[in-house]
Amino acid sequence: MSIFLNESNCKEALFPFTNTRHVADIRLGILTLREKWELLTNETIVTDPGEQGDISITVPANVVPNLQNIEQLLELARAGKTITPNSSIQFIQHPWQIFQLNATAIKADYELVTAGRESMPIDADNKCIAPQHIFIEEGAVVRCCFLNASEGPVYIGKNVEVMEGSAIRGPFAACEGSVVKMGARIYGGTTLGPYCVAGGEIKNSMFFGFSNKGHDGYLGDSVIGEWCNLGAGTSCSNVKNTGGEVRYTIDDDAAPVSAGNKGGLLMGDYSRTAINSSFNTGSVVGVCCNIFGDMPPKYLPHFSWGTGQYIFEKALADINNWKKMKGQHLSEQEKETLQKIYLSQHKK
């Protein structure tokens, strides 16, 4: 059996993260949505309609599967019934829901990825609370740290390094190859995707992968895409001075939408900030932006250079420079995707 994850009705609403990836490749908790389906069903996951087979079932790509709801989801899909949100089934319908749902998703994924397995030993020079809810994968190095899993699990992935003096409160996940810098303070609901670097103060935030916040500065209730870099001292507001509604604009032609009373930065892939950059509550940054100078507008479109336009060829060269630092380079497929985004933005 193959399972088709259909993004046709949800892709546009998840700007800026679905400009560069399928909805199924959004990370929530420890795993991407695609990875959750693969582990839960052991079936072939299809995201291109042209790849569907005669025996495929179809589910919305933005539904969040877990051990508790997977049988219900499959039963509804096999019967051809519409899957709608309820007490056990959640959807990512807006980009800010990635950080709103992340703590719950970390707990669900932790149960899935650690089932029937034993953690590597926790080094004795760490201070741990509720160590039975801490799982350390092979190759990880965690020394002289504070790990508190009393409010949710702490998952330390393969070859992760958590440097001395770091204080981490669960639910928390550090995926393969990520690094937590010395003295970092990380609160629950935070995920570091693969090969990320984290420092300073972080709360309830998602890093998709290969992104850096290596220095002091505050990041809360935020989502950072892949291959982003937050310069030293970069901070964002996640609560308004009035304590009122935080409203996001995900399209410069659309009306702002309320996300509740907490909401920080939503940053698309390949975007970067200069040192001491500051973001207002409910800020949105598109794909491939270079941010510097005074506090930026709350909405920055793709390929912004400050408040101007990033030259496409320079943007690609700069991305390649950053990718080389982690032993990678821009693929032809990435270049084609970025060119489509650039041309679409340029037409506006």
Side-chain angles (χ1 to χ4, degrees), residues 2 4 34 44-54 56:
S2 62
F4 173 50
R34 183 197 302 267
T44 301
I45 305 304
V46 177
T47 54
D48 183 345
E51 298 174 0
Q52 292 187 74
D54 294 336
S56 295

Side-chain angles (χ1 to χ4, degrees), residues 212-218 229-236 267 271-279 290-296 322:
N212 307 320
K213 181 201 173 298
H215 306 285
D216 283 338
Y218 176 70
N229 188 75
L230 305 184
T234 295
S235 290
C236 79
M267 175 177 279
S271 290
R272 301 175 297 279
T273 70
I275 61 169
N276 295 323
S277 296
S278 297
F279 290 93
N290 193 336
I291 300 156
F292 54 87
D294 297 330
M295 181 177 284
W322 280 98

